[in-house]
Structure formats: structure tokens, C-alpha cells
Amino acid sequence: MPSHKAVVTASVGLHARPAADFVRAVMDTGLPVVIAKDGSPAVDARSLLQVMAADFQHGCEVQLTVSETALDGPVSAENAVGALQSLGDLLEAQGALQPALRH
């Protein structure tokens, strides 16, 4: 089962814009990606509501996974690994993409 670990770096976690950007990127892959953190069940990463409700906070390590049953041969498995890596890169870059907060 292709999977990839990443850390949520957005200061607000996966809420509001970071969550929407992530879910949009997941939808663009066309894969049924699930996202989970230790101690919590996996949720459908294609669902903005499920991602936001799961409360993936800043600094949280997450596991991105695609079920083997959703894949069609080794080429698709390689594509899934690449897609999960890209999604992980997005999660880890979101903190750098946010403007500095003004007080």
C-alpha cells in the first residue's frame, strides 16, 4: 500500500486555506487518498469537511495512504508514490507560503 509521512507546517494546521489547498491537490491526483495521524482513524483526504474536522494541527505528523485496491498495476503504484510525495511536500511547504501575521 503506497504511503508517505509528512508534517503539517501551516500555522493554523489543516484549516481554512491550507486545508482547501491540500484537498484541491488531492482531488487533482484522481486518487482516493486517506490521511491519518497517530491515535486517530484515517479520513478521506478528498473531503474538506473530514480533513478540517480531523484537526490536523501545526507540527502534526500525518500518514498519507492510497489503498492497493484502488491501483491498477505497477505503473499506477509508482504514480501513487509520486503523488503522495508531492502532497507531502505541499503540506511541508505550506508554513513557508503563509504571510507573516501582523500584531
Side-chain angles (χ1 to χ4, degrees):
M1 178 164 30
S3 65
H4 180 77
K5 287 188 178 185
V7 175
V8 175
T9 62
S11 63
V12 296
L14 279 181
H15 293 282
R17 185 177 303 262
D21 291 344
F22 172 71
V23 170
R24 190 174 306 112
V26 170
M27 293 296 290
D28 288 346
T29 70
L31 296 169
V33 176
V34 295
I35 183 171
K37 62 182 176 181
D38 282 343
S40 296
V43 299
D44 186 345
R46 300 169 296 180
S47 167
L48 182 59
L49 183 58
Q50 287 185 34
V51 169
M52 290 179 59
D55 195 28
F56 298 106
Q57 298 178 357
H58 172 78
C60 170
E61 184 178 67
V62 297
Q63 180 87 25
L64 304 170
T65 308
V66 175
S67 170
E68 289 285 342
T69 58
L71 304 177
D72 185 24
V75 174
S76 290
E78 289 175 18
N79 291 341
V81 169
L84 293 175
Q85 174 70 47
S86 294
L87 293 170
D89 291 348
L90 171 64
L91 288 176
E92 294 186 345
Q94 284 181 323
L97 298 175
Q98 293 178 322
L101 296 175
R102 295 184 181 159
H103 298 285

